[in-house]
Amino acid sequence: METTRGPVEEMAMTEETAADLPIIDAHQHFWDLDKNYYPWLCDPEPIPFRYGDYSALKRNYLPPDYRRDIGPNRVVGTVHMEAEWDRADPVAETRWLEGVAARHGLPSALIGHAEPDRADIADVLAGHARSPLMRGIRHKPAAAARPRDAVRGARGSMDDPRWRAGYALLERHGFSYDLQTPWWHLDAAAELAADFPAIPVIVNHTGLPADRSAEALAGWRAALETAAARPNVALKISGLGLPGRPWTVAANGPVIRDAIAIFGTDRCLFASNYPVDRLAAPFTTIFDGFRAAVSDLPLAEQRKLFHDNAVRIYRL
C-alpha cells in the first residue's frame, strides 16, 4: 500500500532538500590588516558607511574565519570582491589573494579593483589578467547621495568619455564588470550595457534599496526594470541589511521577490557580503532568509540562485 505524506512531513523534506543545495557565495571579502593596507580599515578616521559604525570589521578576516561563519551551509566556492585595498597598487591585492587561495582553497575566483579613468588603466587590467583566478573588476563610479541629486555626465561617472574609454578595455581580457551604485544611476548602467554588449555587468547589493518607503521602492523597481531590459546585466542579491534593524524575511523578503520577478531566476544570484554583512546578521540568518524568501520556487530554480548562475556568470 502506498504511503501518503502529510503536509508537515512534505514541507520538512522540501526544506531539508533546499538546505542541502550547494552555494557559491558570489560576494565576500578577506583581509589581513597586519600585512596589507586598506585605508578604510587601517586609518584611524572612519569613512561614511551605510551600516554606521563598522569598527567591528577592523580585524583580520581570512578563510578559517569565513568557514566558521558559514556554519552548516554547504558553500562549495566563493567569489572574492575587492576589499578597498590601497588604490596605489590594486594588482597587489590580486597577488596576495592568489597566495591565500593556494593555502586555503578559497576564494575560487577574484574580482579586482580598477578605476577605468586612471591613466594606467591598461597596465592595471593587464596585471589583474595575469591571475588565472581573475574574472573582472569592480569600480564604484561617481554617484549622487540622493535620487533628486542624480545628474548625468558627471566626471568619473558611467557617462564620462574617459571613464568609458577605460571600461572598453575590459572586453580585451574577457572581464565582467561588478557595478556598485545606488539604483538612481541604473539608467546610466543600462546605457553602458547597451553600448558595450560583450561586457557582462553584475549590479551589486540589489541596487542598494536602503530607503524602504513606498515611494523609494517604486523608484527602485523602475530602475531595476530599466537595467534588466539589457540582457548582459545580472543582479546580485546581497547587502540588504538596514542600520539598527534586524535582518528578517518580513523586511527583506518582498525586496528579494521583487528583484527576482524583475530580473528572473536566470540573472539573479545570492551572496553574503561577508564579513561586512556580519554587521547586519549572522551568515546563517541571511541564507536561511534567502531560502525562506524563495521557498515556493522549484528546487531547480533555487539552485540557479544559490549556485548555477554564479558558476555561469563568473566562469567557475
Side-chain angles (χ1 to χ4, degrees):
M1 183 176 68
E2 183 178 350
T3 302
T4 302
R5 300 187 184 94
V8 173
E9 184 181 0
E10 190 73 40
M11 183 180 296
M13 288 187 64
T14 301
E15 290 175 351
E16 181 181 5
T17 305
D20 194 46
L21 286 175
I23 295 169
I24 299 292
D25 187 351
H27 194 116
Q28 56 83 208
H29 310 278
F30 294 132
W31 49 70
D32 187 336
L33 306 186
D34 297 326
K35 297 179 179 179
N36 306 314
Y37 177 47
Y38 305 81
W40 71 293
L41 293 168
C42 297
D43 292 350
E45 188 68 25
I47 63 169
F49 196 68
R50 63 193 177 94
Y51 286 161
D53 179 13
Y54 65 92
S55 55
L57 300 179
K58 294 187 172 187
R59 60 179 186 178
N60 295 345
Y61 192 79
L62 294 164
D65 306 298
Y66 176 81
R67 287 187 165 113
R68 282 192 295 270
D69 281 337
I70 66 175
N73 290 281
R74 191 182 163 205
V75 176
V76 297
T78 74
V79 178
H80 185 280
M81 189 61 49
E82 62 90 15
E84 309 281 350
W85 179 284
D86 180 7
R87 295 313 194 208
D89 187 6
V91 177
E93 183 178 30
T94 295
R95 293 193 297 265
W96 175 71
L97 285 164
E98 285 189 295
V100 172
R103 289 190 298 275
H104 297 283
L106 290 177
S108 312
L110 306 177
I111 300 298
H113 182 266
E115 299 161 79
D117 54 352
R118 63 186 284 165
D120 62 346
I121 181 61
D123 292 338
V124 170
L125 294 178
H128 284 315
R130 282 193 283 271
S131 171
L133 297 179
M134 185 56 60
R135 298 294 184 270
I137 68 155
R138 177 171 75 161
H139 177 253
K140 301 172 185 177
R146 298 171 297 183
R148 65 175 177 267
D149 296 331
V151 295
R152 297 293 299 270
R155 182 177 179 181
S157 73
M158 289 177 276
D159 298 315
D160 182 348
R162 178 172 175 172
W163 191 97
R164 281 176 155 240
Y167 180 86
L169 300 179
L170 297 180
E171 186 175 353
R172 176 185 300 174
H173 301 287
F175 282 170
S176 59
Y177 176 50
D178 266 74
L179 167 63
Q180 185 162 324
T181 196
W183 55 262
W184 48 89
H185 289 290
L186 290 182
D187 57 339
E191 290 186 21
L192 182 74
D195 291 341
F196 299 93
I199 301 174
V201 176
I202 303 97
V203 176
N204 285 191
H205 299 332
T206 333
L208 299 171
D211 182 348
R212 301 293 174 85
S213 66
E215 179 184 9
L217 286 175
W220 167 77
R221 286 190 292 269
L224 288 195
E225 289 168 358
T226 298
R230 307 312 313 171
N232 55 322
V233 180
L235 183 71
K236 196 177 297 184
I237 300 178
S238 58
L240 292 175
L242 298 171
R245 293 172 57 181
W247 202 111
T248 65
V249 178
N252 294 319
V255 172
I256 294 168
R257 288 187 286 270
D258 282 351
I260 294 170
I262 292 167
F263 268 87
T265 56
D266 287 325
R267 287 193 288 156
C268 290
L269 48 164
F270 289 135
S272 74
N273 194 33
Y274 248 60
V276 175
D277 269 40
R278 183 195 272 167
L279 298 173
F283 190 103
T284 298
T285 296
I286 293 172
F287 271 83
D288 284 352
F290 287 158
R291 291 187 185 94
V294 299
S295 60
D296 60 329
L297 294 178
L299 282 177
E301 300 299 293
Q302 294 183 43
R303 185 183 175 104
K304 291 178 183 179
L305 297 165
F306 285 100
H307 178 272
D308 295 356
N309 293 344
V311 169
R312 184 186 79 253
I313 291 168
Y314 289 115
R315 308 184 304 284
L316 301 176

